[in-house]
Amino acid sequence: MKRILVVEDSGIVTKIIRHVVNQEAGIEAIYAASFAEAKLVCERLQESLFAALVDLNLPDAPDGEVVDFMLAQGVPTIVLTASFDEQRREALLTKGIVDYVTKEGRYSYHYALNLIKRLDKNQHIKVLVVDDSETSRSYITELLRRQLFQILEATNGVEAIKVLLDNPEIKLLITDYNMPQMDGVELVKNLRYKYEKSELVIIGLSAEGHGALSAKFIKNGANDFLHKPFCQEEFNCRVQHNVEALELIEKIRDVANRDHLTQSYNRGCFFRQGEEIYHQAQSRGTPLAAAVLDIDHFKRINDSRGHGVGDRVLQAVARTLNESLGRFLVARAGGGEFFVLLPGLDNEKAMALIDKVRQIVASTPIEVGEERLYTTFSAGVTNRMLGNLDEQINEADDYLYRAKEAGRNLVVGDDDDEGA
Protein backbone atom coordinates (compact mmCIF):
# COMPACT_ATOMS: atom_id res chain seq x y z
CA MET A 1 0.00 0.00 0.00
CA LYS A 2 1.49 3.34 -1.10
CA ARG A 3 0.78 6.22 1.27
CA ILE A 4 0.51 9.71 -0.26
CA LEU A 5 -0.06 13.14 1.24
CA VAL A 6 -2.73 15.35 -0.35
CA VAL A 7 -2.49 19.03 0.60
CA GLU A 8 -5.54 20.98 -0.61
CA ASP A 9 -7.59 23.73 1.07
CA SER A 10 -10.63 23.49 -1.23
CA GLY A 11 -13.31 21.20 0.21
CA ILE A 12 -14.77 20.52 -3.24
CA VAL A 13 -11.40 19.59 -4.77
CA THR A 14 -10.56 17.41 -1.75
CA LYS A 15 -13.87 15.60 -2.14
CA ILE A 16 -13.13 14.88 -5.82
CA ILE A 17 -9.62 13.67 -5.04
CA ARG A 18 -10.91 11.48 -2.22
CA HIS A 19 -13.42 9.90 -4.61
CA VAL A 20 -10.70 9.23 -7.22
CA VAL A 21 -8.28 7.80 -4.64
CA ASN A 22 -10.96 5.48 -3.22
CA GLN A 23 -11.31 3.91 -6.68
CA GLU A 24 -7.59 3.12 -6.83
CA ALA A 25 -6.30 -0.08 -5.23
CA GLY A 26 -2.98 0.14 -3.46
CA ILE A 27 -3.06 3.87 -2.58
CA GLU A 28 -3.80 5.33 0.85
CA ALA A 29 -4.17 9.11 1.08
CA ILE A 30 -3.57 11.34 4.11
CA TYR A 31 -5.25 14.75 3.77
CA ALA A 32 -4.11 18.17 4.98
CA ALA A 33 -5.94 21.46 4.38
CA SER A 34 -3.02 23.81 5.11
CA PHE A 35 0.76 24.11 5.11
CA ALA A 36 0.77 23.82 8.90
CA GLU A 37 -1.20 20.54 8.78
CA ALA A 38 1.12 19.22 6.07
CA LYS A 39 4.14 19.86 8.31
CA LEU A 40 2.51 17.95 11.16
CA VAL A 41 1.76 14.99 8.89
CA CYS A 42 5.35 14.96 7.64
CA GLU A 43 6.72 15.00 11.18
CA ARG A 44 4.57 11.99 11.97
CA LEU A 45 4.70 10.01 8.72
CA GLN A 46 7.58 11.29 6.60
CA GLU A 47 9.40 7.96 6.37
CA SER A 48 6.28 6.24 5.05
CA LEU A 49 5.20 8.89 2.50
CA PHE A 50 5.66 7.69 -1.06
CA ALA A 51 4.62 10.92 -2.83
CA ALA A 52 2.74 14.18 -2.31
CA LEU A 53 -0.03 15.89 -4.27
CA VAL A 54 -0.01 19.55 -3.18
CA ASP A 55 -1.89 22.74 -3.98
CA LEU A 56 0.43 25.52 -5.13
CA ASN A 57 -1.46 28.30 -3.33
CA LEU A 58 -2.57 27.75 0.26
CA PRO A 59 -3.87 30.37 2.71
CA ASP A 60 -0.74 29.99 4.87
CA ALA A 61 1.60 29.30 1.91
CA PRO A 62 0.47 31.55 -0.98
CA ASP A 63 3.73 31.40 -2.94
CA GLY A 64 4.23 27.66 -3.16
CA GLU A 65 6.18 27.27 0.08
CA VAL A 66 4.62 23.83 0.58
CA VAL A 67 6.29 22.65 -2.64
CA ASP A 68 9.75 23.68 -1.41
CA PHE A 69 9.04 22.03 1.93
CA MET A 70 7.99 18.67 0.44
CA LEU A 71 10.96 18.59 -1.94
CA ALA A 72 13.29 19.37 0.96
CA GLN A 73 11.86 16.29 2.73
CA GLY A 74 12.80 14.18 -0.28
CA VAL A 75 9.17 13.39 -1.15
CA PRO A 76 8.35 13.18 -4.90
CA THR A 77 5.88 16.02 -5.42
CA ILE A 78 3.11 16.65 -7.95
CA VAL A 79 1.72 20.19 -7.97
CA LEU A 80 -1.94 21.11 -8.31
CA THR A 81 -2.63 24.61 -9.59
CA ALA A 82 -5.73 26.54 -10.65
CA SER A 83 -3.85 29.00 -12.89
CA PHE A 84 -0.65 28.70 -14.80
CA ASP A 85 1.84 30.73 -16.84
CA GLU A 86 5.14 30.03 -18.58
CA GLN A 87 7.27 31.67 -15.90
CA ARG A 88 5.68 29.66 -13.11
CA ARG A 89 5.99 26.46 -15.14
CA GLU A 90 9.74 26.97 -15.63
CA ALA A 91 10.21 27.79 -11.95
CA LEU A 92 8.41 24.64 -10.79
CA LEU A 93 10.21 22.31 -13.17
CA THR A 94 13.54 23.81 -12.13
CA LYS A 95 12.73 23.05 -8.48
CA GLY A 96 12.55 19.33 -9.29
CA ILE A 97 8.86 18.44 -9.10
CA VAL A 98 7.60 15.26 -10.74
CA ASP A 99 4.96 17.18 -12.73
CA TYR A 100 2.20 19.75 -12.42
CA VAL A 101 -1.54 19.34 -12.99
CA THR A 102 -4.02 22.12 -13.67
CA LYS A 103 -7.39 21.85 -11.95
CA GLU A 104 -9.52 21.58 -15.07
CA GLY A 105 -11.89 18.74 -14.21
CA ARG A 106 -12.02 15.22 -12.83
CA TYR A 107 -9.66 13.91 -15.51
CA SER A 108 -6.91 16.11 -14.08
CA TYR A 109 -7.07 14.25 -10.77
CA HIS A 110 -7.14 10.86 -12.50
CA TYR A 111 -4.03 12.01 -14.39
CA ALA A 112 -2.35 12.95 -11.10
CA LEU A 113 -3.14 9.54 -9.55
CA ASN A 114 -1.86 7.81 -12.68
CA LEU A 115 1.42 9.70 -12.24
CA ILE A 116 1.73 8.27 -8.74
CA LYS A 117 1.06 4.73 -10.02
CA ARG A 118 3.65 5.37 -12.73
CA LEU A 119 6.21 6.34 -10.09
CA ASP A 120 5.51 3.08 -8.26
CA LYS A 121 6.14 1.04 -11.42
CA ASN A 122 9.24 3.06 -12.34
CA GLN A 123 11.00 1.94 -9.15
CA HIS A 124 11.37 -1.51 -10.70
CA ILE A 125 12.61 -0.36 -14.14
CA LYS A 126 16.30 -0.03 -14.98
CA VAL A 127 17.36 2.66 -17.46
CA LEU A 128 20.78 2.99 -19.08
CA VAL A 129 21.92 6.51 -20.03
CA VAL A 130 24.75 6.61 -22.60
CA ASP A 131 26.52 9.93 -23.19
CA ASP A 132 30.18 10.98 -23.15
CA SER A 133 29.29 14.42 -21.79
CA GLU A 134 29.13 14.31 -18.00
CA THR A 135 27.00 17.47 -17.94
CA SER A 136 24.43 16.08 -20.38
CA ARG A 137 24.45 12.66 -18.71
CA SER A 138 23.92 14.18 -15.26
CA TYR A 139 20.98 16.26 -16.51
CA ILE A 140 19.25 13.27 -18.08
CA THR A 141 19.82 11.04 -15.05
CA GLU A 142 18.41 13.75 -12.77
CA LEU A 143 15.21 13.91 -14.85
CA LEU A 144 14.90 10.13 -14.65
CA ARG A 145 15.58 10.04 -10.91
CA ARG A 146 12.70 12.43 -10.35
CA GLN A 147 10.54 9.76 -11.98
CA LEU A 148 12.09 7.14 -9.60
CA PHE A 149 13.75 5.00 -12.29
CA GLN A 150 16.81 2.92 -11.42
CA ILE A 151 19.68 4.54 -13.37
CA LEU A 152 22.83 3.05 -14.86
CA GLU A 153 25.35 5.06 -16.90
CA ALA A 154 27.86 4.55 -19.71
CA THR A 155 30.14 6.99 -21.53
CA ASN A 156 30.11 5.34 -24.98
CA GLY A 157 28.57 2.54 -27.01
CA VAL A 158 31.19 -0.09 -26.18
CA GLU A 159 30.77 0.52 -22.45
CA ALA A 160 26.97 0.47 -22.86
CA ILE A 161 27.04 -3.02 -24.37
CA LYS A 162 29.08 -4.29 -21.40
CA VAL A 163 26.62 -2.71 -18.94
CA LEU A 164 23.69 -4.32 -20.79
CA LEU A 165 25.31 -7.75 -20.70
CA ASP A 166 25.83 -7.39 -16.94
CA ASN A 167 22.26 -6.07 -16.45
CA PRO A 168 19.94 -7.96 -18.83
CA GLU A 169 16.87 -6.61 -16.99
CA ILE A 170 17.44 -3.09 -18.42
CA LYS A 171 14.24 -2.03 -20.23
CA LEU A 172 15.13 1.45 -21.54
CA LEU A 173 18.30 2.84 -23.10
CA ILE A 174 18.78 6.55 -23.85
CA THR A 175 21.80 7.30 -26.01
CA ASP A 176 23.53 10.35 -27.43
CA TYR A 177 24.72 10.28 -31.03
CA ASN A 178 28.22 11.78 -31.05
CA MET A 179 30.45 9.61 -28.83
CA PRO A 180 33.97 8.12 -29.08
CA GLN A 181 34.62 4.45 -29.95
CA MET A 182 31.01 3.77 -30.98
CA ASP A 183 28.40 6.42 -31.78
CA GLY A 184 24.71 6.19 -30.92
CA VAL A 185 23.56 4.89 -34.30
CA GLU A 186 26.21 2.15 -34.33
CA LEU A 187 25.17 1.23 -30.81
CA VAL A 188 21.52 0.88 -31.91
CA LYS A 189 22.58 -1.28 -34.89
CA ASN A 190 24.57 -3.61 -32.65
CA LEU A 191 21.86 -3.90 -30.02
CA ARG A 192 19.13 -4.75 -32.51
CA TYR A 193 20.98 -7.96 -33.42
CA LYS A 194 20.15 -9.20 -29.90
CA TYR A 195 17.19 -7.15 -28.61
CA GLU A 196 13.84 -6.63 -30.29
CA LYS A 197 12.00 -3.31 -29.97
CA SER A 198 9.51 -5.11 -27.72
CA GLU A 199 12.34 -6.15 -25.36
CA LEU A 200 14.44 -2.98 -25.10
CA VAL A 201 13.27 0.57 -25.77
CA ILE A 202 15.96 2.82 -27.30
CA ILE A 203 15.61 6.59 -27.47
CA GLY A 204 18.24 8.50 -29.46
CA LEU A 205 19.41 12.01 -28.59
CA SER A 206 21.53 14.54 -30.45
CA ALA A 207 22.38 18.22 -30.67
CA GLU A 208 23.43 17.75 -34.31
CA GLY A 209 21.58 20.15 -36.58
CA HIS A 210 20.56 18.06 -39.60
CA GLY A 211 17.06 16.62 -39.51
CA ALA A 212 18.00 13.33 -41.20
CA LEU A 213 19.67 12.10 -38.03
CA SER A 214 16.33 11.29 -36.38
CA ALA A 215 15.40 9.15 -39.40
CA LYS A 216 18.82 7.48 -39.28
CA PHE A 217 18.31 6.51 -35.65
CA ILE A 218 14.80 5.17 -36.21
CA LYS A 219 15.65 3.33 -39.44
CA ASN A 220 18.40 1.50 -37.59
CA GLY A 221 16.07 0.37 -34.82
CA ALA A 222 15.57 3.18 -32.29
CA ASN A 223 12.04 3.47 -30.88
CA ASP A 224 12.16 7.26 -30.65
CA PHE A 225 14.40 10.34 -31.02
CA LEU A 226 14.73 13.76 -29.37
CA HIS A 227 16.74 16.80 -30.44
CA LYS A 228 18.86 18.53 -27.79
CA PRO A 229 18.08 20.81 -26.08
CA PHE A 230 14.70 19.26 -25.43
CA CYS A 231 11.73 20.34 -23.35
CA GLN A 232 11.73 18.55 -20.00
CA GLU A 233 8.04 17.74 -20.25
CA GLU A 234 8.42 16.32 -23.75
CA PHE A 235 11.30 14.14 -22.51
CA ASN A 236 9.14 12.85 -19.65
CA CYS A 237 6.20 12.18 -21.97
CA ARG A 238 8.35 10.33 -24.55
CA VAL A 239 9.92 8.17 -21.85
CA GLN A 240 6.55 7.44 -20.25
CA HIS A 241 4.79 6.59 -23.51
CA ASN A 242 7.58 4.27 -24.67
CA VAL A 243 7.76 2.47 -21.32
CA GLU A 244 3.98 2.07 -21.23
CA ALA A 245 4.00 0.69 -24.79
CA LEU A 246 6.63 -1.86 -23.72
CA GLU A 247 4.52 -2.83 -20.69
CA LEU A 248 1.44 -3.23 -22.87
CA ILE A 249 3.33 -5.58 -25.20
CA GLU A 250 4.57 -7.57 -22.19
CA LYS A 251 1.01 -7.75 -20.84
CA ILE A 252 -0.34 -9.00 -24.18
CA ARG A 253 2.46 -11.54 -24.40
CA ASP A 254 1.78 -12.70 -20.84
CA VAL A 255 -1.95 -13.11 -21.54
CA ALA A 256 -1.10 -15.18 -24.63
CA ASN A 257 1.11 -17.42 -22.48
CA ARG A 258 -1.48 -18.01 -19.74
CA ASP A 259 -4.22 -20.56 -19.33
CA HIS A 260 -7.36 -18.42 -19.08
CA LEU A 261 -8.96 -20.52 -16.35
CA THR A 262 -6.10 -21.07 -13.88
CA GLN A 263 -3.72 -18.23 -14.87
CA SER A 264 -0.91 -20.78 -14.90
CA TYR A 265 1.31 -20.82 -17.98
CA ASN A 266 -0.15 -22.80 -20.86
CA ARG A 267 1.34 -25.86 -22.56
CA GLY A 268 2.86 -23.90 -25.46
CA CYS A 269 4.61 -21.47 -23.14
CA PHE A 270 5.90 -24.34 -21.02
CA PHE A 271 7.71 -25.92 -23.94
CA ARG A 272 9.03 -22.58 -25.30
CA GLN A 273 10.53 -21.60 -21.95
CA GLY A 274 11.26 -25.17 -20.93
CA GLU A 275 13.42 -25.96 -23.94
CA GLU A 276 15.75 -23.10 -23.02
CA ILE A 277 15.93 -24.28 -19.40
CA TYR A 278 16.54 -27.85 -20.62
CA HIS A 279 19.44 -26.84 -22.91
CA GLN A 280 21.02 -24.69 -20.18
CA ALA A 281 20.94 -27.61 -17.74
CA GLN A 282 22.31 -29.92 -20.42
CA SER A 283 25.20 -27.62 -21.34
CA ARG A 284 26.10 -26.86 -17.71
CA GLY A 285 25.68 -30.40 -16.46
CA THR A 286 23.27 -29.32 -13.72
CA PRO A 287 20.28 -31.37 -12.53
CA LEU A 288 16.84 -30.78 -14.01
CA ALA A 289 13.69 -32.44 -12.70
CA ALA A 290 10.46 -32.66 -14.69
CA ALA A 291 7.14 -33.49 -13.05
CA VAL A 292 3.72 -34.36 -14.46
CA LEU A 293 0.81 -33.99 -12.01
CA ASP A 294 -2.78 -35.02 -12.56
CA ILE A 295 -5.81 -34.36 -10.33
CA ASP A 296 -7.21 -37.70 -9.20
CA HIS A 297 -10.66 -38.60 -10.56
CA PHE A 298 -10.98 -35.20 -12.27
CA LYS A 299 -13.31 -36.54 -14.97
CA ARG A 300 -15.55 -38.00 -12.28
CA ILE A 301 -15.72 -34.59 -10.59
CA ASN A 302 -16.79 -32.96 -13.84
CA ASP A 303 -19.32 -35.69 -14.65
CA SER A 304 -20.91 -35.92 -11.21
CA ARG A 305 -20.61 -32.37 -9.90
CA GLY A 306 -20.61 -30.34 -13.12
CA HIS A 307 -17.91 -28.36 -14.93
CA GLY A 308 -18.40 -25.35 -12.65
CA VAL A 309 -17.23 -27.36 -9.66
CA GLY A 310 -14.48 -28.89 -11.79
CA ASP A 311 -13.27 -25.40 -12.65
CA ARG A 312 -13.19 -24.45 -8.97
CA VAL A 313 -11.09 -27.55 -8.21
CA LEU A 314 -8.70 -26.72 -11.06
CA GLN A 315 -8.29 -23.14 -9.89
CA ALA A 316 -7.69 -24.18 -6.28
CA VAL A 317 -5.04 -26.76 -7.23
CA ALA A 318 -3.37 -24.31 -9.65
CA ARG A 319 -3.27 -21.64 -6.97
CA THR A 320 -1.51 -24.01 -4.56
CA LEU A 321 0.96 -25.10 -7.24
CA ASN A 322 1.79 -21.52 -8.22
CA GLU A 323 2.21 -20.42 -4.60
CA SER A 324 4.28 -23.44 -3.56
CA LEU A 325 6.35 -23.78 -6.74
CA GLY A 326 6.50 -20.13 -7.79
CA ARG A 327 10.26 -20.11 -8.42
CA PHE A 328 9.90 -22.96 -10.93
CA LEU A 329 8.08 -23.26 -14.26
CA VAL A 330 4.50 -24.43 -13.69
CA ALA A 331 1.96 -24.90 -16.51
CA ARG A 332 -1.45 -26.41 -17.05
CA ALA A 333 -1.06 -29.07 -19.74
CA GLY A 334 -4.78 -29.67 -20.25
CA GLY A 335 -7.70 -31.24 -18.37
CA GLY A 336 -6.56 -31.79 -14.79
CA GLU A 337 -2.91 -32.23 -15.75
CA PHE A 338 0.01 -29.89 -14.93
CA PHE A 339 3.70 -29.83 -15.91
CA VAL A 340 6.47 -28.57 -13.61
CA LEU A 341 10.13 -28.01 -14.47
CA LEU A 342 12.49 -27.79 -11.49
CA PRO A 343 16.06 -26.76 -12.46
CA GLY A 344 18.77 -27.34 -9.87
CA LEU A 345 16.97 -30.13 -7.98
CA ASP A 346 18.02 -33.77 -8.01
CA ASN A 347 15.29 -36.41 -8.07
CA GLU A 348 15.21 -36.96 -4.32
CA LYS A 349 14.71 -33.24 -3.58
CA ALA A 350 12.24 -32.78 -6.43
CA MET A 351 10.14 -35.73 -5.27
CA ALA A 352 10.19 -34.47 -1.69
CA LEU A 353 9.02 -31.03 -2.81
CA ILE A 354 6.24 -32.37 -5.05
CA ASP A 355 5.14 -34.71 -2.27
CA LYS A 356 4.97 -31.80 0.17
CA VAL A 357 2.73 -29.91 -2.29
CA ARG A 358 0.61 -33.07 -2.66
CA GLN A 359 0.05 -33.07 1.08
CA ILE A 360 -0.93 -29.39 1.06
CA VAL A 361 -3.47 -29.97 -1.73
CA ALA A 362 -4.91 -33.04 -0.01
CA SER A 363 -5.42 -31.17 3.28
CA THR A 364 -6.77 -27.89 1.89
CA PRO A 365 -10.58 -27.66 1.58
CA ILE A 366 -12.13 -26.18 -1.56
CA GLU A 367 -15.19 -24.06 -0.82
CA VAL A 368 -18.09 -24.85 -3.17
CA GLY A 369 -21.13 -22.99 -1.91
CA GLU A 370 -21.64 -24.21 1.64
CA GLU A 371 -19.77 -27.44 0.95
CA ARG A 372 -16.08 -28.18 1.50
CA LEU A 373 -14.46 -30.53 -1.00
CA TYR A 374 -11.09 -32.22 -0.79
CA THR A 375 -9.05 -33.39 -3.76
CA THR A 376 -5.71 -35.11 -4.38
CA PHE A 377 -3.26 -35.49 -7.24
CA SER A 378 -0.82 -38.12 -8.44
CA ALA A 379 2.58 -37.25 -9.90
CA GLY A 380 5.57 -38.64 -11.75
CA VAL A 381 9.02 -37.03 -11.39
CA THR A 382 12.18 -37.74 -13.39
CA ASN A 383 15.66 -36.26 -13.80
CA ARG A 384 16.47 -38.44 -16.81
CA MET A 385 17.34 -36.11 -19.70
CA LEU A 386 16.68 -38.40 -22.63
CA GLY A 387 17.51 -36.15 -25.58
CA ASN A 388 14.89 -33.42 -25.37
CA LEU A 389 12.30 -31.98 -23.00
CA ASP A 390 9.41 -33.77 -24.67
CA GLU A 391 10.98 -37.18 -23.98
CA GLN A 392 11.70 -36.22 -20.36
CA ILE A 393 8.05 -35.20 -19.90
CA ASN A 394 6.96 -38.53 -21.43
CA GLU A 395 9.14 -40.34 -18.90
CA ALA A 396 7.54 -38.41 -16.04
CA ASP A 397 4.13 -39.19 -17.54
CA ASP A 398 4.94 -42.93 -17.41
CA TYR A 399 5.72 -42.55 -13.68
CA LEU A 400 2.44 -40.68 -13.21
CA TYR A 401 0.49 -43.66 -14.54
CA ARG A 402 2.39 -45.97 -12.21
CA ALA A 403 1.33 -43.73 -9.32
CA LYS A 404 -2.30 -43.99 -10.43
CA GLU A 405 -2.09 -47.76 -10.82
CA ALA A 406 -0.65 -47.98 -7.29
CA GLY A 407 -3.72 -46.32 -5.81
CA ARG A 408 -3.40 -42.58 -6.62
CA ASN A 409 -2.44 -39.71 -4.31
CA LEU A 410 1.19 -40.79 -4.74
CA VAL A 411 4.45 -39.45 -6.21
CA VAL A 412 6.64 -41.87 -8.21
CA GLY A 413 10.19 -41.04 -9.32
CA ASP A 414 13.44 -42.46 -10.65
CA ASP A 415 14.38 -44.33 -7.47
CA ASP A 416 10.99 -46.07 -7.44
CA ASP A 417 11.60 -47.20 -11.01
CA GLU A 418 15.03 -48.62 -10.18
CA GLY A 419 13.52 -50.60 -7.30
CA ALA A 420 10.64 -51.98 -9.38
Side-chain angles (χ1 to χ4, degrees), residues 174-191:
I174 299 172
T175 178
D176 187 37
Y177 168 62
N178 198 355
M179 298 182 296
Q181 294 191 59
M182 181 186 293
D183 66 36
V185 172
E186 286 299 315
L187 173 61
V188 174
K189 279 183 179 178
N190 278 280
L191 293 179

Side-chain angles (χ1 to χ4, degrees), residues 186-200:
E186 286 299 315
L187 173 61
V188 174
K189 279 183 179 178
N190 278 280
L191 293 179
R192 285 304 178 225
Y193 285 113
K194 178 175 175 61
Y195 304 96
E196 297 291 335
K197 282 187 172 183
S198 59
E199 297 173 321
L200 175 68

Side-chain angles (χ1 to χ4, degrees), residues 226-237:
L226 274 170
H227 284 284
K228 295 179 181 178
F230 46 75
C231 165
Q232 179 179 326
E233 290 168 280
E234 182 181 10
F235 175 83
N236 290 340
C237 288

Side-chain angles (χ1 to χ4, degrees), residues 13 28 42 106 136 239 270 280 364 407 410:
V13 172
E28 176 193 358
C42 281
R106 182 168 293 184
S136 177
V239 168
F270 176 84
Q280 285 179 355
T364 303
L410 293 172

Side-chain angles (χ1 to χ4, degrees), residues 230-249:
F230 46 75
C231 165
Q232 179 179 326
E233 290 168 280
E234 182 181 10
F235 175 83
N236 290 340
C237 288
R238 295 286 186 94
V239 168
Q240 180 176 320
H241 289 167
N242 277 286
V243 169
E244 287 177 349
L246 185 66
E247 289 172 342
L248 183 59
I249 292 170

Side-chain angles (χ1 to χ4, degrees), residues 211-402:
L213 187 57
S214 59
K216 191 173 182 181
F217 258 105
I218 291 171
K219 284 183 177 180
N220 281 284
N223 299 70
D224 209 339
F225 179 85
L226 274 170
H227 284 284
K228 295 179 181 178
F230 46 75
C231 165
Q232 179 179 326
E233 290 168 280
E234 182 181 10
F235 175 83
N236 290 340
C237 288
R238 295 286 186 94
V239 168
Q240 180 176 320
H241 289 167
N242 277 286
V243 169
E244 287 177 349
L246 185 66
E247 289 172 342
L248 183 59
I249 292 170
E250 289 176 345
K251 185 176 181 180
I252 292 170
R253 185 181 290 134
D254 186 63
V255 169
N257 286 333
R258 297 281 178 181
D259 170 60
H260 75 282
L261 183 62
T262 64
Q263 295 307 303
S264 300
Y265 286 119
N266 57 34
R267 186 188 185 97
C269 177
F270 176 84
F271 280 101
R272 283 192 298 275
Q273 292 190 25
E275 286 291 351
E276 184 176 344
I277 295 170
Y278 180 92
H279 290 305
Q280 285 179 355
Q282 196 173 47
S283 63
R284 296 171 183 170
T286 54
L288 176 66
V292 179
L293 293 65
D294 192 52
I295 298 172
D296 293 326
H297 304 296
F298 183 64
K299 185 177 184 302
R300 184 188 300 172
I301 295 171
N302 275 328
D303 291 344
S304 62
R305 306 300 298 270
H307 289 278
V309 173
D311 289 348
R312 292 288 296 275
V313 169
L314 265 176
Q315 290 166 341
V317 172
R319 185 162 52 249
T320 300
L321 293 179
N322 290 325
E323 289 172 356
S324 304
L325 304 169
R327 67 191 180 98
F328 302 109
L329 181 59
V330 179
R332 182 189 175 199
E337 192 171 71
F338 294 84
F339 293 161
V340 186
L341 210 53
L342 305 101
L345 298 189
D346 60 28
N347 198 247
E348 182 180 355
K349 291 179 180 178
M351 283 186 64
L353 179 58
I354 297 298
D355 194 60
K356 182 178 179 181
V357 177
R358 178 193 62 77
Q359 294 173 45
I360 294 172
V361 168
S363 61
T364 303
I366 301 167
E367 305 291 339
V368 180
E370 298 181 356
E371 190 177 358
R372 305 177 87 193
L373 297 181
Y374 289 86
T375 191
T376 61
F377 69 73
S378 303
V381 184
T382 184
N383 279 68
R384 293 173 181 167
M385 301 175 70
L386 304 171
N388 57 54
L389 179 59
D390 195 44
E391 290 185 20
Q392 188 173 2
I393 289 293
N394 286 338
E395 181 82 354
D397 199 44
D398 286 342
Y399 291 166
L400 165 65
Y401 278 97
R402 294 187 193 182

